[in-house]
Every structure is written in C-alpha cells, then in structure tokens.
Amino acid sequence: MQVTDRLSHGLEAPICLTWELTYGCNLACVHCLSSSGRRDPRELTTEELFGVVDELEAMQVFYVNIGGGEPTLRPDFWDLLDYSVEHHVGVKFSTNGSRITTAAAKRLASTDYVDVQISVDGADATTNDAIRGNGSFDVATTAMGHLADAGFKDFKISVVVTRNNVEQLDDFAALAASYQAQLRLTRLRPSGRGADVWDELHVTAEQQRTLYRWLLDHPDTLTGDSFFHLSALGEPLPGLNLCGAGRVVCLIDPVGDVYACPFVLHDQFKAGSVRDAGGFTKVWRESPLFTELREPGSAGACASCGSYDACQGGCMAAKFFTGIPLDGPDPECVHGHGEAALVAASAGRPPASPGHTRSGPVPVSIGRRPA
Amino acid sequence: MPAYALHPQVGLRPEKFGALAYHYGNRRLTFLNDDKLVAVVQKAHEYDDVDGALAAAGVPEQNWPAYRTVLARLAESEVLQCR
C-alpha cells in the first residue's frame, strides 16, 4: 500500500502539527505567513496552552512545531516548553533568535526533546535584512553561535527560498555546516503578507529547475516536503509528495483556531477551535472540513497532464491565495500551466487581510537585488 | 537468532493501517504497515529470541524470513534495539 493510500483514511492524530503561540513579533518580515506583529488579546492563556498539551499527549502526538509570531516573546514560553517535554510531546520551535541568549542555548542543549530552528532568508546581511529587517541577520547568527557553543548539534537553519536568495543555496549549506546545523529550505507562499510580495519574490521557472537539481544533489536538506510540485520535473524529491492539509498536517493559531495547514489562515480553511467542546481531538477527527480534505481529490484541470501523479496538482494554499481554483494547476506548475491560470485568476484573489501587522511605516523595502 | 526490544526513545502510536513509530532522539518517523508486525514490535522484549515473538504474534512460519528482514531493518533504524 502506498503512503498516500494509508494517509487518505485519516490518521488518529497529525504527524506534523504547527502551533503558533502568538501573533506578537519583534520583526516584520515582508513575507510573514501569519501577518504577525501585535499580540492578540484573545490568545490562549497559559492554562489553555497546558490543556492543549494534555490533549496532544493523550492523542500521542509525538512532537509539535511551535512558531508565531515570535514564540519566545510569550512570558510563559519556557514554562510551556518544560510542560510539553514532561508530557512526552517533543518540541521544535522556530525563532528569529532574538531571545536565544547563552543561558537559553545551554538550557536548550540539555534535552533531546527540544529542537530549534533559526530563520534567515539570506546568506548575508544585505539579502536577509531586505526581507526580515535591519540587523536581523546579525541577531540570527549570534543565536546560532550561542547554540553551537552550547554543544547543540543539528539545530535547523530555516530559509524561505526566494528569487533573491536561490543563488545562495551553497552558501546556506556552508553556513549550516559551520555551526554543525542542518539546512532547511521551504517554499515561499502567497499567504499572509506573503501575498503582497509573492509576485516579485517567488522563484522564476528557470530558478525552480536549478532548485530541483540542487535538492536532488543534496538529499539531506530538510524541506518539510514543501517542494513536491517540483517532482513533476522528473525523479521525485525525497519525502511525501502530496498536500498533507488536514490529513498529515494542521495548524493551531494563537487564539486556538484550527486550520488545515500553516499556509491557509483563512475562514474557508478553518476547521474549528481548541476552545470548542471536544477540543482539538474532535476537530482533528470529526470536523467536516478535515473529513472532506481526506476524501480523494479530483485532478480537475490537471487530469490530462502526465505529471499529475508526481505533483498531485501542487499546493492548495498557493492556488487559493493567487485566486486559482483548488482543482486548477499550481501557480508555479513546472510545465507552465500556472501562468495562464494566474492571468485568468487575477481578479479572483482573495482580498488581503492586514492580520496583526503593526501600523506605521514599513521598515524595509524589497525588490532590490543584492549586489 | 537476535532478540529485540522497542528502543526506549521510540513512541508507538496505533493507526488503522498498523502503527507509527517516532524516535525522539533521531526524530525519524517510521510506518509499521501491519498489525502482526506491530504486535511483534510491542512484545519483542518478552521473548528470548525473535522467533518466539513471531510465533506469539501468530505470524505464519513461512513468513518468518520476510519478517526477520523487516525487523533487522527496524533495528538498523533504531526503532528496535538488540538485547
């Protein structure tokens, strides 16, 4: 039986659960998936966070991917980390590094059950800071140094691949190697504030082919299986080549709403809330949205394409936020079917929501290629 | 014949197709695709060797060589450990 068949019946619990703890962030990255900035007064209380961990333990969720916002800004972040580990729920958390002091790094290095992922979006300060804000590269690399000094091996350096950094893949690999860290590359999605910059920053067709070959040559690179649409170029990439939304993956947002994946913070993909009767368990196992997502999908416009088995029509979120029907081609379809679909869909893009973006001047400009 | 036990850092979660095994140390996820295999993995520590565990789980004897191969692979990937 294929992995896809096994998963299509639905799992008792997600394999890859992303849990965003806060919309608060001390950065304002131009491509933020969750349009983070200000904390939301409705965010889960510490007691509610612990209640979610209790549920995850009972469901035997092996680990959670914690993010935000910047999760370490929550005053109860470290308590949650301890509570999760005590309850056999492993934690991998994403951070911009600003709170990873030498003391924090030592604490993190002392347990196997916590993994850390530091985000950078350029292999040098110029490229990175254009996306993530002035000074953010130095902050991130300082944190990497603290982790390495504390003996934390194999932490992750996480990069969203863009038009401006795709030529730095070897540099990212070298950066990771220099800290004994692992490189993780993920796809730029037109979600959150990413919708505003996607047209300028998503990789070109030629860059996609370069990226695909690089990933085949570097099979140890982590990707969260986010480039499965590139498998239509030939040999499949390692990992799960299908959209896991609601089947393998889901997202709990800072106010406890449960979405089908981390890239679709939109009412249409909201399955329920951990605050509902029955909690997260009932949302995962019984929500009508997740039940529907677990049914075999229609190949739609891609039915006659010989590559459908390889790419499964691509990423649901990328289609939705560019206005392409969910049974249409991925906007970055490697056979070029996305371009016509994008033109046809240009009027149908869902209106951007400001989310929790802080008001005031945007701190950085984009679109400039690094020298 | 080797004797096995579930690795102490591995969590096992029953699923409709069998079970998922997760190693908290190397963070690898493994699919166990049939109920008999899951039973062998869960009970392996109770038997002096692998054949004892296979017999107890009701695996037909003609399938033992195939199961031994799968179990050896699970030991290599640290889902099981040798005792």
Side-chain angles (χ1 to χ4, degrees):
Chain A
M1 189 162 52
Q2 295 297 306
V3 175
T4 28
D5 298 327
R6 290 199 290 266
L7 298 178
S8 65
H9 301 294
L11 296 166
E12 295 297 316
I15 292 175
C16 186
L17 170 62
T18 299
W19 187 6
E20 294 180 350
L21 295 188
T22 178
Y23 281 114
C25 192
N26 49 352
L27 296 185
C29 305
V30 297
H31 59 358
C32 181
L33 295 166
S34 55
S35 302
S36 286
R38 290 172 287 110
R39 283 200 70 176
D40 190 308
R42 300 167 300 157
E43 287 175 8
L44 299 179
T45 64
T46 306
E47 205 171 302
E48 286 177 310
L49 296 181
F50 288 1
V52 171
V53 173
D54 293 342
E55 269 201 80
L56 300 181
E57 181 184 24
M59 291 175 87
Q60 286 187 277
V61 171
F62 301 120
Y63 69 98
V64 287
N65 300 294
I66 284 181
E70 171 52 46
T72 61
L73 294 187
R74 273 193 71 126
D76 51 9
F77 172 77
W78 300 96
D79 294 333
L80 178 71
L81 215 59
D82 290 342
Y83 191 86
S84 299
V85 171
E86 281 161 23
H87 289 78
H88 313 105
V89 178
V91 171
K92 179 171 85 177
F93 74 91
S94 293
T95 175
N96 57 36
S98 55
R99 298 289 174 101
I100 309 299
T101 58
T102 44
K106 277 185 194 144
R107 183 172 176 174
L108 292 166
S110 69
T111 167
D112 273 349
Y113 288 76
V114 178
D115 198 3
V116 186
Q117 186 163 291
I118 310 255
S119 303
V120 287
D121 291 319
D124 55 65
T126 309
T127 312
N128 176 79
D129 291 5
I131 302 286
R132 305 183 60 81
N134 287 333
S136 58
F137 187 77
D138 284 346
V139 167
T141 48
T142 300
M144 292 172 197
H146 289 160
L147 288 170
D149 290 346
F152 195 125
K153 292 219 172 54
D154 290 333
F155 69 87
K156 315 296 181 276
I157 295 179
S158 189
V159 176
V160 175
V161 180
T162 67
R163 199 169 296 183
N164 296 348
N165 69 19
V166 70
E167 281 148 39
Q168 302 180 327
L169 297 176
D170 289 332
D171 301 329
F172 285 120
L175 182 75
S178 72
Y179 292 106
Q180 289 190 283
Q182 276 184 292
L183 179 60
R184 179 172 187 268
L185 301 175
T186 59
R187 183 176 176 189
L188 175 73
R189 266 105 174 176
S191 315
R193 286 196 293 271
D196 303 329
V197 296
W198 186 82
D199 289 315
E200 296 156 74
L201 285 183
H202 79 89
V203 292
T204 65
E206 191 190 333
Q207 288 174 333
Q208 287 206 122
R209 289 189 286 274
T210 309
L211 172 62
Y212 169 74
R213 284 190 297 269
W214 197 91
L215 290 171
L216 284 181
D217 288 344
H218 299 80
D220 292 337
T221 306
L222 305 170
T223 62
D225 302 341
S226 77
F227 297 106
F228 67 89
H229 66 299
L230 300 183
S231 288
L233 284 167
E235 185 188 336
L237 293 170
L240 202 58
N241 283 306
L242 70 99
C243 164
R247 292 195 277 193
V248 183
V249 178
C250 75
L251 169 80
I252 303 176
D253 92 338
V255 302
D257 288 337
V258 181
Y259 294 88
C261 90
F263 317 112
V264 285
L265 284 154
H266 187 280
D267 279 348
Q268 189 169 327
F269 300 100
K270 192 194 292 183
S273 166
V274 303
R275 284 170 165 153
D276 295 343
F280 174 71
T281 316
K282 187 163 182 209
V283 176
W284 176 261
R285 293 185 182 158
E286 295 176 31
S287 72
L289 175 69
F290 285 179
T291 305
E292 187 189 326
L293 286 171
R294 288 164 195 164
E295 276 156 19
S298 140
C302 301
S304 62
C305 177
S307 293
Y308 182 76
D309 284 346
C311 79
Q312 304 276 319
C315 171
M316 182 176 83
K319 294 189 243 198
F320 180 74
F321 287 112
T322 52
I324 295 174
L326 298 186
D327 64 354
D330 189 289
E332 295 182 287
C333 164
V334 298
H335 298 311
H337 300 305
E339 277 130 50
L342 279 171
V343 172
S346 55
R349 288 195 184 190
S353 146
H356 295 75
T357 301
R358 282 189 298 266
S359 54
V362 177
V364 289
S365 64
I366 55 132
R368 190 168 45 89
R369 281 182 78 87
Chain B
M1 278 298 129
Y4 297 114
L6 190 64
H7 193 287
Q9 275 184 289
V10 169
L12 205 60
R13 182 171 94 206
E15 290 286 353
K16 292 188 189 88
F17 57 81
L20 279 173
Y22 179 72
H23 192 297
Y24 285 93
N26 64 32
R27 306 197 171 93
R28 264 194 230 121
L29 191 70
T30 305
F31 286 83
L32 303 180
N33 294 325
D34 78 84
D35 293 336
K36 286 200 171 68
L37 179 64
V38 176
V40 175
V41 166
Q42 277 171 327
K43 301 258 176 165
H45 65 279
E46 293 176 12
Y47 298 90
D48 290 337
D49 65 22
V50 62
D51 289 355
L54 289 168
V59 177
E61 209 162 334
Q62 73 265 24
N63 296 341
W64 287 10
Y67 272 76
R68 284 184 200 128
T69 310
V70 171
L71 292 164
R73 217 178 300 140
L74 290 175
E76 256 168 57
S77 58
E78 295 183 291
V79 174
L80 298 172
Q81 61 179 12
C82 294
R83 289 186 285 130

